[in-house]
């Protein structure tokens, strides 16, 4: 069996480091807003190349807190990619604003050429999503943003370590949101998230908002929430951060094999790689009109796969009827064709070969 993703392998690979970190936290008696979080925030800020990092409860909260800190709310609009996990949209509606979806390009990322048409007098920000580990063309987006005097927010939940013209995701807009959900390139052993920014005032406000709006206990300057990255998760993330570049390098190697060895089949479209970025391959997503048949074939041969994402956000019951479906109709085709192949950095070369062999076997049927 080739698993789609297996966290147990990661634990075994660095077992002693994880166990030591766990013991360190348990023996300290500190579990909330302690030294592990403080160290992780400094280390992750340095890794992404920013001045400030604020650990929060999850990636959705990270996005929402950025929007709240920027005073985006009721009656406002935020331009966002149509193709993304629903959290990108939920953060916008959680603050009372409206997501304005823009179709993706061939690389699955927001099409910068279409952003200008989505901007209205109510637009307060542009939220880009670095999907599947590849970075959006930020120069093109920033050019549109500058024209309309709009801030650019990064949803970098799937782009830990990805770079755009030698700058890392998380250091390309006014602020960025990261998720540390276990399956991420940098994943915790539970939920977790962070905001990165070079804006000192924004970071300070988010620190207040994540902790009940309080800097001093029982004194509340703002109407905040409870969203704090705990000490245990911070300690685990500190271990995994040390190995992130190596894990990403392995993902790149696996993706390179896929790109070379399953190319040339008419029925299978491989992911487009933008020249401006170095992806870290959070997911390796192909397209085929025979998606369901291919997934069944992979399952039958003992290979895990996944669909990101089968139902477009605008068709979800949470949002259905609120958007022009004619404009988004072509996008629905993409959702019916995408399939994510295994790209866990713990996969062996033999397992990668098994995936490639199975894809080739299927591809030959539709030549």
């Amino acid at each position: 069996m080739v698993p789609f993703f297996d966290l147990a392998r990661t634990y075994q690979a660095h077992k002693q480091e994880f166990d030591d970190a766990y013991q360190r936290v348990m023996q300290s008696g500190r579990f909330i807003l302690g030294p592990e979080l403080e160290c992780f925030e400094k280390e992750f800020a340095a890794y992404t190349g920013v001045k400030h990092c604020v650990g929060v409860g999850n990636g959705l909260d990270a996005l929402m807190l950025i929007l709240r800190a920027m005073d985006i709310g009721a009656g406002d609009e935020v331009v966002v990619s149509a193709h993304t996990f629903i959290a990108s949209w939920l953060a916008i509606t959680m603050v009372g604003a409206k997501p304005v979806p823009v179709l993706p390009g061939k690389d699955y990322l927001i099409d910068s050429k279409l952003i200008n048409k989505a901007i209205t007098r109510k637009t307060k920000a542009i939220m880009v999503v670095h999907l599947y580990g590849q970075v959006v063309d930020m120069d093109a987006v920033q050019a549109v943003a500058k024209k309309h005097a709009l801030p650019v927010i990064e949803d970098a939940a799937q782009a830990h370590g990805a770079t755009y013209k030698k700058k890392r995701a998380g250091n390309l807009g006014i602020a960025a949101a990261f998720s540390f959900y276990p399956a991420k390139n940098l994943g915790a052993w539970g939920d977790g998230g962070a905001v990165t920014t070079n804006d000192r005032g924004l970071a300070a406000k988010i620190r207040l908002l994540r902790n009940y709006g309080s800097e001093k206990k029982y004194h509340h300057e703002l109407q905040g929430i409870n969203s704090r990255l705990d000490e245990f998760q911070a300690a685990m993330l500190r271990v995994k951060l040390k190995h992130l570049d190596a894990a990403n390098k392995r993902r790149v190697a696996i993706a390179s094999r896929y790109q070379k060895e399953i190319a040339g089949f008419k029925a299978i479209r491989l992911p487009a790689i933008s020249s401006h970025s170095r992806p870290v391959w959070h997911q390796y997503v192909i397209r085929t009109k025979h998606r369901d048949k291919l997934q069944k074939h992979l399952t039958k041969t003992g290979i895990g796969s996944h669909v990101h994402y089968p139902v477009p956000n605008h068709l979800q019951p949470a949002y259905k009827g609120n958007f022009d479906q004619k404009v988004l109709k072509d996008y629905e085709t993409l959702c019916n064709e995408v399939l994510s192949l295994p790209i866990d950095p713990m996969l062996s070369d033999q397992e990668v070969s098994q995936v490639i062999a199975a894809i080739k076997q299927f591809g030959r049927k539709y030549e």
Side-chain angles (χ1 to χ4, degrees), residues 271-314:
I273 305 175
S274 302
S275 59
H276 54 256
S277 70
R278 293 182 62 187
V280 290
W281 299 105
H282 174 59
Q283 302 296 344
Y284 185 88
V285 183
I286 62 174
R287 287 185 66 175
T288 176
K289 294 179 181 179
H290 313 288
R291 193 265 306 283
D292 293 343
K293 291 180 180 179
L294 174 56
Q295 189 166 35
K296 288 180 181 178
H297 169 72
L298 292 175
T299 301
K300 188 176 180 180
T301 54
I303 296 169
S305 62
H306 199 75
V307 178
H308 298 89
Y309 301 95
V311 182
N313 290 334
H314 69 278

Side-chain angles (χ1 to χ4, degrees), residues 85-363:
F85 181 56
I86 199 169
S88 308
W89 288 34
L90 288 174
I92 297 168
T93 51
M94 281 173 68
V95 299
K98 178 184 177 181
V100 179
V102 172
L103 294 171
K106 293 181 180 179
D107 56 5
Y108 305 126
L109 307 175
I110 191 169
D111 190 335
S112 59
K113 297 188 293 295
L114 302 178
I115 293 176
N116 196 63
K117 294 180 180 179
I119 294 172
T120 71
R121 290 180 299 170
K122 296 180 179 181
T123 306
K124 298 300 180 183
I126 299 170
M127 182 186 292
V128 298
V129 183
H130 304 315
L131 201 66
Y132 303 148
Q134 186 164 203
V135 181
V136 171
D137 185 353
M138 292 300 292
D139 284 351
V141 173
Q142 291 286 10
V144 178
K146 185 177 181 180
K147 177 182 176 182
H148 296 277
L150 293 170
V152 178
I153 299 166
E154 298 174 77
D155 181 341
Q158 299 185 11
H160 313 76
T163 58
Y164 177 84
K165 297 185 177 180
K166 297 183 179 182
K167 289 184 71 175
R168 283 200 167 116
N171 188 20
L172 302 168
I174 189 168
F178 286 90
S179 166
F180 302 128
Y181 181 75
K184 303 299 184 185
N185 291 45
L186 180 61
W189 295 140
D191 278 319
V195 174
T196 57
T197 182
N198 287 306
D199 188 315
R200 182 178 180 181
L202 192 63
K205 190 171 183 180
I206 291 171
R207 287 187 189 279
L208 285 176
L209 288 170
R210 74 169 176 184
N211 187 39
Y212 301 104
S214 172
E215 183 176 11
K216 181 181 178 182
K217 196 168 185 178
Y218 302 130
H219 295 265
H220 306 273
E221 300 175 40
L222 300 171
Q223 294 181 12
I225 63 171
N226 174 16
S227 182
R228 303 169 298 204
L229 183 65
D230 66 64
E231 288 289 280
F232 174 73
Q233 301 302 345
M236 297 300 109
L237 288 166
R238 291 185 68 196
V239 173
K240 294 188 78 173
L241 183 58
K242 296 176 184 178
H243 303 284
L244 178 57
D245 285 344
N248 283 342
K249 187 177 180 181
R250 176 59 180 162
R251 288 176 182 267
V252 170
I254 296 170
S256 181
R257 285 196 62 188
Y258 287 159
Q259 288 288 102
K260 293 176 183 177
E261 298 182 45
I262 60 177
F265 292 104
K266 294 179 181 179
I268 299 172
R269 188 188 307 180
L270 302 183
I273 305 175
S274 302
S275 59
H276 54 256
S277 70
R278 293 182 62 187
V280 290
W281 299 105
H282 174 59
Q283 302 296 344
Y284 185 88
V285 183
I286 62 174
R287 287 185 66 175
T288 176
K289 294 179 181 179
H290 313 288
R291 193 265 306 283
D292 293 343
K293 291 180 180 179
L294 174 56
Q295 189 166 35
K296 288 180 181 178
H297 169 72
L298 292 175
T299 301
K300 188 176 180 180
T301 54
I303 296 169
S305 62
H306 199 75
V307 178
H308 298 89
Y309 301 95
V311 182
N313 290 334
H314 69 278
L315 294 182
Q316 296 284 357
Y319 289 106
K320 192 173 182 180
N322 295 327
F323 301 93
D324 187 348
Q325 292 189 24
K326 291 181 180 179
V327 175
L328 296 166
K329 190 66 178 177
D330 289 342
Y331 163 56
E332 294 171 25
T333 302
L334 182 148
C335 294
N336 292 326
E337 296 181 354
V338 290
L339 183 67
S340 301
L341 303 182
I343 196 157
D344 187 332
M346 293 294 133
L347 290 175
S348 68
D349 288 343
Q350 182 180 358
E351 287 173 322
V352 176
S353 294
Q354 286 179 249
V355 177
I356 293 168
I359 296 289
K360 283 183 173 181
Q361 183 183 28
F362 184 86

Side-chain angles (χ1 to χ4, degrees), residues 49-74:
V50 298
K51 296 178 181 177
H52 309 282
C53 171
V54 184
V56 298
N58 53 70
L60 172 56
D61 283 357
L63 284 170
M64 183 271 291
L65 287 169
I66 292 170
L67 294 168
R68 277 198 61 185
M70 294 174 64
D71 297 319
I72 294 173

